[in-house]
Amino acid sequence: MISAGRVLKATYKDIKADILSKILQGIWTPGSLLPNEVALAERYECARATVNRAMRELAEDGFIERKRKAGSRVRLSPVRQAKFDIPIVRREIEEHGAQYRYALVQSEACVPPDWLRARLQLSNTAQVLHLTCMHYADGAPYQLEDRWINLTLLPQARDADFTTVGPNEWLVSQVPFSNAEISFSATAADQTIADHLGCPIDAPVFQVERSTWWTDQAVTTVRLWHRPGHRMTTRY
Amino acid sequence: MISAGRVLKATYKDIKADILSKILQGIWTPGSLLPNEVALAERYECARATVNRAMRELAEDGFIERKRKAGSRVRLSPVRQAKFDIPIVRREIEEHGAQYRYALVQSEACVPPDWLRARLQLSNTAQVLHLTCMHYADGAPYQLEDRWINLTLLPQARDADFTTVGPNEWLVSQVPFSNAEISFSATAADQTIADHLGCPIDAPVFQVERSTWWTDQAVTTVRLWHRPGHRMTTRY
DNA sequence: CAGTGGTCTAGACCACTGA
DNA sequence: CAGTGGTCTAGACCACTGT
């Protein structure tokens, strides 16, 4: 058991910061038992609900574990998570102070290839729209996009004009929120990628794949290839 | 403005789920103004604090935006975030049902190269421990680790035995919590990487770089190279 | 069964900010 | 300046779970 120093009329943020600093400095070490909420409320001279919020957020942030009856402990192993902003290419580019340009390379309605039908669980009669697009930063190739849209779910995509608006931005306006699976990997540039990104064939390319569903129906899947040297960074 | 259906004695989870389903189904569309907390509290027949918690969490989850005086709106563009579990290689491998094996390849205390001193803001007199390690899944190369540990901050690393315990697990036991910067990219295998991972030179390799600090002092930096074909996946 | 966190309430005051 | 969310309070009851 740990004893807490006395602090006057603390807000939940004060309490959270105070407890966190004790953990980060190693004053409260992994595995040790923290005072219970009532005790902390006395020491910080506030209501238990205020302490509760501070502790709840520390638990959400992965710093402590809480159990009824057993109390709250500093986590033993930092079960840490990293959060990434889902890359929205236009914003990504503009935030780097560069000028964004978009171009449609190809657009074709077709029957989905087998691998796509399998991945998106499409019916045998489904039709899809296949788009190829380029995103430029200050005129230089930044990202190549290979997009498939489920025409059964979004027939209006057939008549949409993708020469000026990118499929991502169009989709956001059509499907409010959706579930998605996203994965990152490294791949070698094939002829098409090399041509569009202006890099050698077999150059290592950072690849993002994302499939999204709306109420259990496949909306779209996309592969994004980034120019060589691209990095995705975050802090935690 | 949107009107809410009446629900009896709802908990904050009920309210959150109800509002979220209206957003996901497109009943409440992006940009539209939600009822204020007092109105929702009446409709759900609960206290305002209960509504507040539901709405606060929806905002944290990125579904709505809240502003004083202006009210709460469904987000226009899904500023969604993806959470990744920080890859802990042993768990990653064992969760795939494979057997984990670790091996120390090389260990050497030395003066940090310039790029490392710059990256970690080390003093001129700093010493570092340079480790090279391999992680195997079912006997096959899985990940090559190139690790640098700040000996000024962690002198005990000099005497630690890294032949049986990986540096990551050792560090976790020495430094309770730390800030980190992590980045992902694609790179081409050099001779060393190719040898250790058993892949061709110039093969595209998924690279993770992570630097961590403890109270503003650099603890360690590491580069991890994954076997060809490695994917990092999440849902959101 | 008893101790702990989880949640709700009714009310209050405050901070911010759009009109 | 008035409407909205942000936070706090003092108290209450409940759910879970270790002992």
Side-chain angles (χ1 to χ4, degrees), chain B residues 148-170:
Chain B
W148 305 79
I149 296 173
N150 181 353
L151 283 174
T152 309
L153 184 61
L154 289 170
Q156 66 269 39
R158 212 183 281 269
D159 304 315
D161 176 18
F162 291 112
T163 59
T164 54
V165 177
N168 201 351
E169 299 179 49
W170 182 84

Side-chain angles (χ1 to χ4, degrees), chain A residues 33-229:
Chain A
L33 183 64
L34 273 57
N36 68 29
E37 294 190 348
V38 174
L40 286 171
E42 283 172 14
R43 288 170 173 72
Y44 288 110
E45 295 192 339
C46 66
R48 183 167 77 97
T50 306
V51 170
N52 178 272
R53 178 152 180 200
M55 300 284 276
R56 177 158 34 86
E57 292 197 359
L58 285 169
E60 279 170 9
D61 295 347
F63 292 105
I64 66 175
E65 279 179 316
R66 319 195 72 197
K67 277 187 203 166
R68 283 165 160 132
K69 166 78 182 182
S72 303
R73 293 177 179 278
V74 180
R75 283 198 102 104
L76 278 171
S77 57
V79 181
R80 304 290 298 268
Q81 294 187 324
K83 289 183 188 172
F84 290 91
D85 293 330
I86 298 301
I88 297 174
V89 61
R90 173 196 289 276
R91 204 185 316 166
E92 193 178 357
I93 288 172
E94 289 174 347
E95 277 176 1
H96 280 68
Q99 196 188 352
Y100 172 72
R101 186 164 69 81
Y102 161 80
L104 177 63
V105 175
Q106 199 195 8
S107 167
E108 181 192 16
C110 59
V111 219
D114 288 342
W115 64 268
L116 185 63
R117 261 219 313 277
R119 175 183 296 188
L120 298 186
Q121 298 165 349
L122 298 173
S123 72
N124 287 340
T125 60
Q127 287 239 324
V128 292
L129 183 65
H130 183 200
L131 302 169
T132 307
C133 319
M134 273 300 298
H135 305 270
Y136 300 89
D138 280 344
Y142 184 84
Q143 184 186 87
L144 172 62
E145 171 173 358
D146 182 58
R147 167 82 65 175
W148 305 78
I149 296 174
N150 182 352
L151 284 174
T152 309
L153 183 62
L154 289 171
Q156 66 269 39
R158 211 184 282 269
D159 304 314
D161 175 18
F162 291 112
T163 57
T164 55
V165 177
N168 203 352
E169 299 179 49
W170 183 84
L171 281 160
V172 164
S173 71
Q174 300 293 311
V175 185
F177 285 93
S178 50
N179 299 316
E181 180 179 288
I182 190 165
S183 80
F184 303 93
S185 54
T187 193
D190 63 15
Q191 181 69 58
T192 309
I193 297 173
D195 286 349
H196 284 96
L197 293 183
C199 65
I201 288 189
D202 289 335
V205 169
F206 189 76
Q207 172 179 281
V208 177
E209 294 175 271
R210 185 167 63 228
S211 299
T212 70
W213 287 265
W214 180 72
T215 62
D216 292 331
Q217 293 174 88
V219 177
T220 182
T221 190
V222 63
R223 280 182 296 182
L224 305 169
W225 294 289
H226 292 77
R227 63 174 175 199

Side-chain angles (χ1 to χ4, degrees), chain B residues 140-152:
Chain B
Y142 184 85
Q143 184 186 88
L144 173 61
E145 171 173 357
D146 182 58
R147 166 83 65 176
W148 305 79
I149 296 173
N150 181 353
L151 283 174
T152 309

Side-chain angles (χ1 to χ4, degrees), chain B:
Chain B
M1 171 64 88
I2 293 167
S3 77
R6 177 165 286 239
V7 178
L8 294 184
K9 282 294 171 189
T11 67
Y12 85 91
K13 285 182 180 172
D14 295 333
I15 298 172
K16 190 179 168 183
D18 190 56
I19 295 175
L20 182 53
S21 84
K22 285 185 170 61
I23 294 174
L24 293 177
Q25 291 172 39
I27 297 173
W28 289 355
T29 57
S32 58
L33 183 66
L34 273 56
N36 68 29
E37 294 190 349
V38 174
L40 287 170
E42 283 173 15
R43 289 170 171 73
Y44 288 111
E45 294 191 339
C46 66
R48 181 168 79 98
T50 306
V51 170
N52 179 272
R53 176 152 181 201
M55 300 285 276
R56 177 159 34 88
E57 291 197 0
L58 285 170
E60 278 171 10
D61 294 347
F63 291 104
I64 66 175
E65 278 179 317
R66 319 196 74 198
K67 276 187 204 166
R68 284 168 160 133
K69 166 80 179 182
S72 303
R73 293 178 179 278
V74 180
R75 286 199 101 104
L76 279 172
S77 58
V79 181
R80 304 289 299 269
Q81 294 188 323
K83 290 182 188 172
F84 290 90
D85 293 332
I86 297 303
I88 296 174
V89 62
R90 174 196 287 278
R91 204 187 311 168
E92 192 178 359
I93 288 172
E94 288 174 347
E95 276 175 2
H96 280 70
Q99 197 189 349
Y100 172 73
R101 187 163 70 79
Y102 162 79
L104 177 64
V105 176
Q106 199 195 8
S107 168
E108 182 192 16
C110 58
V111 227
D114 287 342
W115 64 267
L116 185 63
R117 259 219 316 275
R119 175 184 298 188
L120 298 186
Q121 299 165 348
L122 298 174
S123 72
N124 287 339
T125 60
Q127 285 240 324
V128 292
L129 184 64
H130 183 199
L131 302 168
T132 307
C133 317
M134 274 298 300
H135 305 270
Y136 299 89
D138 281 344
Y142 184 85
Q143 184 186 88
L144 173 61
E145 171 173 357
D146 182 58
R147 166 83 65 176
W148 305 79
I149 296 173
N150 181 353
L151 283 174
T152 309
L153 184 61
L154 289 170
Q156 66 269 39
R158 212 183 281 269
D159 304 315
D161 176 18
F162 291 112
T163 59
T164 54
V165 177
N168 201 351
E169 299 179 49
W170 182 84
L171 282 162
V172 164
S173 71
Q174 301 292 313
V175 186
F177 285 93
S178 50
N179 299 316
E181 179 178 288
I182 189 165
S183 79
F184 303 93
S185 55
T187 193
D190 63 16
Q191 181 69 59
T192 309
I193 297 173
D195 286 349
H196 283 96
L197 294 181
C199 65
I201 289 189
D202 288 336
V205 168
F206 190 76
Q207 172 180 280
V208 178
E209 294 175 270
R210 185 168 64 227
S211 299
T212 70
W213 287 265
W214 181 74
T215 61
D216 293 331
Q217 294 174 88
V219 177
T220 182
T221 190
V222 62
R223 280 181 297 181
L224 306 168
W225 295 287
H226 292 78
R227 64 176 177 199
H230 180 79
R231 305 169 72 79
M232 196 176 70
T233 301
T234 193
R235 291 165 197 281
Y236 68 93

